[in-house]
Structure formats: C-alpha cells, structure tokens
C-alpha cells in the first residue's frame, strides 16, 4: 500500500513473477548444501545461524514471500474492485475454487515426484520452471507494465524524484493537453513512470529516429511531429479529442541553456481547437544530469535530485485575432504559463544566501563566479568567506529589522555586501 500509494494497479505483477522465478531457482541452487548435510537430527537455531548457506535460504524465502504479496494482493484487489457488483461474490468463489483445484494438483504432483525418488530440490526446480512460463506469459500480456516497473524502480533509486502537485493532475477532466519543459533525455521516462495515465508523446522526428532512444519510447505511445509544422497539429487535436492524454514539449527541443527556450504557439492552438485544458509541468534538476545537452557548460552529476511540479489545469483564454497575431498571443501566453511553473517549481521560500550556498555545493567551491574592473575574480569559497566576514562587521552597528542603505560602486564589494 505504501509503494502503490493507494492506487489499484497491476503494474508490478509481471515484475513480481519474474523475481519469484529467480528466487525459486536461487533457493533450489543454495539448498544443495542443505540436502548434502542433512541428517535425521534437527538443527538448533544456533547451529542453523552459524551456517552462511542457511542465511541465503532464509533470505530467498523472505523475499519470495514479499514478491508473492506483490503478485497476489493487486490481483485480488482488481477482482474485488472491477468485477460487476451483482457478480462479485461468484467471481471470488470461482477464484477460490480454482486455487483449491491447483493446490490439490500440486500436492499430487509433489507426491509423485517424491515417490519416484527425485527429492525436494526437483520440486523447487519444476516450480521455478512453471513460474517462469507464467512470467513469460504475463510479460507478453503486459509488456509495458514490467518495463515501467523496472524503469520507475531505477529512477527512484538513482534520482530520488519528488512529485509535487499530483492532486492537480487528478483534477483533470475532459480533454487535456500536458505541456512540460524539456530539460534532458530523462523527461519522457519520468513523466511516463510517475504520472498515473498512459501518456502519448509528440516528439520531434529527428529524435524519434535515434536508435538509442527507442527503448525509452517503449514506455509510452509516441508520434513524431515537427513543432513548426502547422499540419502536424491536426494529428494531436484528433488524439486529444478522442480522450488521449497527450504531452507536448512547447520548446520543441531539449534546452541548450538550462532555462526555457523559445516557446512555440502550437500547443496553445491545439488546446484551443481541441477545447482542452492545459496542465503545465516543470521538471527541475534533470538538466544537471549526464543526459542533458548542457553538461559541457555546467558541472553535471550522474544522479542529481529531480523535482517534478504539476500546476492546476488551466483554461486558455480565447483569442479573437487571426494569423500571425493569434500565434504570437498563444506563444506569449504559454511562455508566461511555463515561467510561472518555473517559479513555483523553484525553491523560492529560501533566502538568497541559502541559494548561494546551494550553488556552491553543486558547482564546487573553486568555481569562479564574479569579477570586477580590478580583474581579480572570486570563486564560491572566497565569496562566501567574505560574506561571513563582512556580515559579522555590519551586525556590530545594525539591528534586526533595520533598513540599511548602501552607497557602493559596481564592484565585487557590492555583491558581497
């Protein structure tokens, strides 16, 4: 319940079955030591814990129980939630009968295997094989679910993403267009894995042709459209009118500066024609990763912290103009909308000095940041040091809440003060 956040979803079921198969085979392999050293006398708990091989067996069984829960609980919940109300009790009863039937069959199979002298390891091996066949079937039945589960798990471990405003996303009703800033190659996997719906992405044709990007595109439906092509908007309008949750990057390409690039008017025209609300999303932190296009301009990290901020759905105002003025209107409106998302997605509650310390932590204390007419640049470390020294001096003749005026020339001293 903690991992699924209260959602009723079977997206982890295929992954759970795959992991169960691996754990059963591992248990079968590690139990060789147990069988070879078995005797008629039971082991005490102390003797059991002294043998490392038995710890591995215990871990296999413990993890197998957890994966079994991930497999069974969502399916039972699905059965109870989505079966028709007048048929629900019969559905549960039929499921119980099938479970009992297979319990009996498996018991008879175990008896037969032991009777011909194959032993308990053979039982676990056959169980792993049958479970693996089930895993293959489920992966074919729900291929996207297992990919999403794996990618989401990796993203959580590596980038520790924080999703702010998910309740705003759930407020959507009717036709909706999702717009987001384009910071890196991680944007599509992030939105696919952490937004509830199955999304459709409009991407640039040049990006869609890149072979190394195609595994990421398996996470969602995609269709290639050029942002400057007016005929391409008709395809997106049709998709949205059919109820598809479409994502468009209004910049049309990955940022080359770390900030917002030129905003195209296309998404505004699409939302107007499809009578759809616009849901702005701001992705922060991904531009510091190795998957961005500005890693050669700023200090990048392998796994920076990422924050995704979702704003409430916005109804675009109607534009009475036509032609160029209409496109200019929507371009400017979307730019203001994305700028607002940028502000709300930033840590505006902290002080200027705390932001300076955060920048020092990210870029490194020896990074040069300021220079004046004396041509003696300061790095973060010396800048912060001077701020503390000068701040201590100023506090000697000022008090909290006092308004202090400064008359300083345009030098480093002004910035430090």
């Amino acid at each position: 319940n903690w991992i699924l956040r209260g959602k009723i979803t079977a997206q982890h079921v295929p992954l759970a079955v795959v992991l169960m198969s691996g754990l059963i085979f591992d248990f079968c392999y590690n139990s060789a030591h147990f069988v070879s050293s078995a005797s008629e006398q039971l082991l005490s708990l102390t003797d059991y814990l002294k043998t490392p091989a038995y710890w591995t067996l215990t871990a296999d069984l413990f993890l197998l129980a957890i994966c079994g829960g991930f497999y069974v609980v969502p399916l039972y919940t699905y059965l109870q939630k989505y079966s028709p109300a007048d048929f629900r009790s019969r559905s549960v009863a039929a499921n119980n009968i099938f479970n009992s039937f297979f319990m009996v069959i498996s018991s008879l199979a175990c008896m037969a295997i032991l009777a011909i002298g194959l032993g308990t390891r053979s039982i676990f091996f056959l169980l792993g094989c049958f479970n693996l066949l089930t895993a293959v079937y489920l992966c074919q039945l729900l291929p996207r679910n297992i990919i999403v589960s794996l990618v989401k798990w990796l993203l959580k471990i590596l980038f520790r993403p924080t999703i702010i405003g998910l309740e705003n996303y759930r407020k959507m009703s009717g036709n909706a267009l999702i717009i987001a800033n384009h910071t890196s190659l991680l944007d599509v996997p992030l939105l696919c894995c952490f937004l509830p719906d199955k999304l459709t992405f409009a991407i640039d044709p040049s990006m869609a042709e890149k072979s190394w990007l195609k595994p990421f595109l398996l996470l969602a439906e995609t269709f290639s459209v050029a942002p400057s092509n007016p005929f391409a908007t008709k395809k997106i309008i049709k998709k949205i009118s059919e109820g598809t949750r479409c994502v468009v990057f209004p910049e049309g390409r990955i940022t080359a500066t770390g900030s917002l690039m030129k905003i195209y008017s296309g998404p505004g025209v699409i939302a107007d024609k499809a009578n759809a609300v616009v849901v702005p999303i701001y992705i922060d932190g991904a531009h510091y990763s190795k998957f961005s296009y500005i890693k050669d301009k700023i200090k990048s990290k392998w796994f920076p912290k990422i924050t995704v901020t979702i704003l409430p759905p916005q109804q675009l105002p109607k534009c009475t103009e036509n032609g160029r003025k209409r496109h200019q209107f929507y371009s400017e409106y979307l730019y203001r909308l994305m700028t607002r998302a940028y502000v709300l997605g930033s840590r505006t509650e902290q002080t200027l000095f705390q932001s300076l310390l955060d920048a020092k932590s990210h870029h490194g204390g020896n990074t040069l940041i300021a220079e004046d007419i004396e041509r003696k640049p300061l790095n973060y470390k010396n800048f912060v040091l001077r701020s503390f020294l000068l701040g201590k001096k100023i506090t000697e003749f000022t008090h909290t809440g006092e308004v202090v005026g400064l008359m300083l020339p345009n030098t480093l001293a002004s910035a430090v003060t």
Side-chain angles (χ1 to χ4, degrees):
N1 190 52
W2 173 69
I3 289 176
L4 296 181
R5 298 288 190 268
K7 284 195 304 178
I8 298 175
T9 175
Q11 74 177 47
H12 296 299
V13 168
L15 181 61
V17 181
V18 171
L19 292 174
M20 284 168 65
S21 303
L23 290 166
I24 292 171
F25 284 126
D26 190 61
F27 183 87
C28 181
Y29 174 78
N30 291 319
S31 62
H33 176 81
F34 178 80
V35 174
S36 63
S37 62
S39 64
E40 295 180 1
Q41 194 173 16
L42 291 175
L43 291 173
S44 66
L45 181 61
T46 306
D47 293 333
Y48 178 85
L49 295 176
K50 284 179 180 177
T51 310
Y54 297 158
W55 279 85
T56 309
L57 290 178
T58 305
D60 285 336
L61 288 175
F62 178 72
L63 294 172
L64 186 61
I66 293 176
C67 292
F70 268 105
Y71 173 66
V72 172
V73 174
L75 294 181
Y76 262 105
T77 311
Y78 244 85
L79 178 67
Q80 295 176 29
K81 177 70 176 178
Y82 295 112
S83 57
D86 57 345
F87 195 73
R88 187 166 297 145
S89 59
R90 280 174 284 175
S91 299
V92 174
N95 180 63
N96 290 337
I97 290 170
F98 267 99
N99 286 342
S100 300
F101 172 75
F102 280 103
M103 287 178 191
V104 173
I105 293 296
S106 61
S107 298
L108 293 173
C110 289
M111 291 167 61
I113 291 169
L114 293 174
I116 61 177
L118 289 179
T120 53
R121 289 189 70 208
S122 301
I123 293 175
F124 278 103
F125 180 76
L126 290 172
L127 179 62
C129 291
F130 280 113
N131 207 73
L132 191 60
L133 291 175
T134 307
V136 172
Y137 169 72
L138 278 174
C139 290
Q140 290 179 341
L141 192 67
L142 302 166
R144 180 181 176 273
N145 285 32
I146 191 165
I147 295 172
V148 168
S149 298
L150 285 169
V151 174
K152 188 174 183 178
W153 178 71
L154 281 173
L155 290 173
K156 279 186 174 181
I157 291 175
L158 300 177
F159 298 98
R160 310 166 307 283
T162 299
I163 312 300
I164 300 172
L166 199 55
E167 67 280 359
N168 293 326
Y169 183 90
R170 295 195 174 102
K171 289 178 184 176
M172 283 193 305
S173 59
N175 297 339
L177 174 67
I178 301 163
I179 60 173
N181 62 318
H182 210 354
T183 61
S184 72
L185 298 171
L186 294 170
D187 298 341
V188 172
L190 278 167
L191 296 179
C192 282
C193 293
F194 292 97
L195 294 185
D197 298 319
K198 186 177 181 180
L199 304 175
T200 299
F201 286 80
I203 61 173
D204 190 90
S206 62
M207 294 297 293
E209 293 172 0
K210 295 184 184 295
S211 57
W212 55 267
L213 191 60
K214 289 183 179 178
F216 291 101
L217 300 182
L218 293 174
L219 296 169
E221 291 184 11
T222 59
F223 59 97
S224 57
V225 291
S228 57
N229 183 0
F231 297 102
T233 60
K234 293 182 179 180
K235 294 171 65 176
I236 308 177
I237 292 169
K238 184 181 178 183
K239 287 271 188 184
I240 295 173
S241 301
E242 292 170 353
T244 305
R245 298 299 190 207
C246 284
V247 180
V248 176
F249 297 108
E251 296 163 279
R253 62 196 186 282
I254 295 177
T255 179
T257 63
S259 299
L260 289 173
M261 306 281 281
K262 175 186 175 182
I263 300 291
Y264 288 93
S265 60
V269 176
I270 291 167
D272 182 39
K273 294 287 186 182
N275 193 27
V277 295
V278 174
V279 181
I281 293 179
Y282 188 78
I283 302 170
D284 184 39
H287 59 289
Y288 290 129
S289 73
K290 300 292 184 180
F291 298 93
S292 75
Y293 281 9
I294 57 171
K295 54 182 179 290
D296 57 333
K297 299 175 183 176
I298 62 172
K299 184 181 178 182
S300 61
K301 294 183 177 180
W302 278 107
F303 308 118
K305 176 84 171 71
I306 294 177
T307 303
V308 178
T309 303
I310 306 170
L311 270 65
Q314 310 278 328
Q315 188 71 53
L316 265 63
K318 293 292 181 181
C319 180
T320 57
E321 303 287 349
N322 291 314
R324 186 187 295 270
K325 289 185 177 179
R326 178 186 179 86
H327 284 271
Q328 185 179 357
F329 171 82
Y330 281 121
S331 178
E332 291 176 356
Y333 187 85
L334 289 176
Y335 190 84
R336 289 197 299 271
L337 207 58
M338 292 305 297
T339 303
R340 182 166 176 265
Y342 168 79
V343 173
L344 294 177
S346 303
R347 287 172 291 180
T348 53
E349 76 285 350
Q350 68 182 20
T351 63
L352 181 64
F353 190 69
Q354 183 59 52
S355 297
L356 174 66
L357 295 180
D358 288 347
K360 172 179 173 289
S361 174
H362 176 80
H363 297 286
N366 293 323
T367 303
L368 298 177
I369 59 167
E371 184 179 10
D372 60 13
I373 196 170
E374 294 184 5
R375 296 293 184 265
K376 294 179 180 178
L378 280 183
N379 58 25
Y380 275 111
K381 192 188 304 180
N382 290 330
F383 196 98
V384 171
L385 177 62
R386 293 188 185 195
S387 298
F388 275 114
L389 294 174
L390 188 57
K392 186 177 180 181
K393 188 68 177 176
I394 292 176
T395 54
E396 294 177 2
F397 53 86
T398 59
H399 57 80
T400 303
E402 182 181 0
V403 178
V404 179
L406 294 175
M407 296 182 66
L408 293 173
N410 188 17
T411 62
L412 289 177
S414 298
V416 172
T417 306

